[in-house]
Amino acid sequence: MDTDILTRIEISKEYLNFSAGHFTIFSATERENLHGHNFRIRCNVTAPIGADGMAFDYVMLKRVLKALCDELDERLLLPERSPHLRIERVDRMVIAWFGEERLTFLERDVLLLPIRNVTIEELAELLLARLRVRPELDGRDLRAIELGVSSGDGQWAFSSWSTP
Ligand SMILES: Nc1nc2c(c(=O)[nH]1)N=C([C@H](O)[C@H](O)COP(=O)(O)OP(=O)(O)OP(=O)(O)O)CN2
């Protein structure tokens, strides 16, 4: 078996999605109004085919990807690392200051993410990082992973990792 031969498993399923609110921040003074998207994700994993004729069980991968979607589903996503947004937690409320604007949300509705902006490219990088540390991937001979996030038909951002 020639282990130099690699395969790429591509996962793209309708149920790999999350509905979330957000607003993209373009500058210290310009942002979108609060709105939502039905975001979708997809993932490609490159690995050698094992002696058993399988790279890895992609059902495991689908379950992990669905779990990553579920963590973001039905929440208002706020970027903790935006230089233009100051976020406070007060009495089970989340207050986001954008310049002089004070946006107030119930804590239960908000998910603070360690990203600079809630864009598809930042979400793709975050979800790829979260995927790579999932225990289900431990010990697997994965050579490359590409994770895509879409905010609507025809617009995707992909974040990728590969072995050196
Ligand atoms: N580089 C990026 N640019 C923009 C992003 C982004 O994530 N990365 N996001 C936005 C906004 O979220 C905007 O709301 C995107 O929505 P829009 O393109 O309007 O989505 P639609 O599905 O409605 O697109 P249509 O072309 O109108 O169908 C802006 N920029």
Side-chain angles (χ1 to χ4, degrees):
M1 179 68 60
D2 185 348
T3 55
D4 290 337
I5 303 298
L6 301 174
T7 189
R8 188 175 76 243
I9 305 281
E10 294 196 359
I11 299 295
S12 172
K13 288 285 187 180
E14 279 298 322
Y15 59 76
L16 294 178
N17 67 70
F18 57 96
S19 300
H22 86 118
F23 50 89
T24 302
I25 298 173
F26 300 105
S27 72
T29 56
E30 188 190 0
R31 70 171 176 87
E32 292 181 306
N33 290 336
L34 179 61
H35 64 284
H37 295 281
N38 292 316
F39 293 92
R40 288 189 59 204
I41 75 170
R42 61 182 300 155
C43 186
N44 305 327
V45 177
T46 301
I49 304 176
D52 59 358
M54 189 161 62
F56 56 88
D57 178 7
Y58 62 61
V59 172
M60 168 279 295
L61 178 60
K62 292 192 289 185
R63 288 199 185 108
V64 170
L65 292 170
K66 181 69 170 72
L68 294 179
C69 287
D70 292 348
E71 289 173 3
L72 275 57
D73 195 31
E74 297 184 351
R75 305 293 287 271
L76 170 69
L77 307 179
L78 290 176
E80 277 182 325
R81 296 178 181 171
S82 167
H84 306 308
L85 204 63
R86 181 165 57 84
I87 297 171
E88 299 171 353
R89 288 179 187 272
V90 180
D91 301 333
R92 296 190 178 176
M93 302 295 287
V94 172
I95 301 170
W97 290 93
F98 178 73
E100 295 303 310
E101 290 184 331
R102 183 178 187 267
L103 298 89
T104 305
F105 309 101
L106 287 175
E107 193 170 54
R108 58 167 287 182
D109 293 327
V110 171
L111 187 63
L112 301 181
L113 297 178
I115 57 179
R116 295 162 294 189
N117 210 345
V118 183
T119 57
I120 53 175
E121 51 266 49
E122 286 282 281
L123 290 171
E125 183 174 346
L126 175 69
L127 291 177
L128 175 61
R130 291 185 172 185
L131 173 62
R132 289 188 58 211
V133 298
R134 289 286 300 216
E136 296 90 340
L137 272 59
D138 285 354
R140 298 189 186 270
D141 184 11
L142 305 182
R143 306 297 177 88
I145 303 173
E146 185 184 52
L147 191 145
V149 175
S150 170
S151 59
D153 287 345
Q155 52 202 42
W156 289 81
F158 290 89
S159 193
S160 57
W161 161 86
S162 62
T163 51

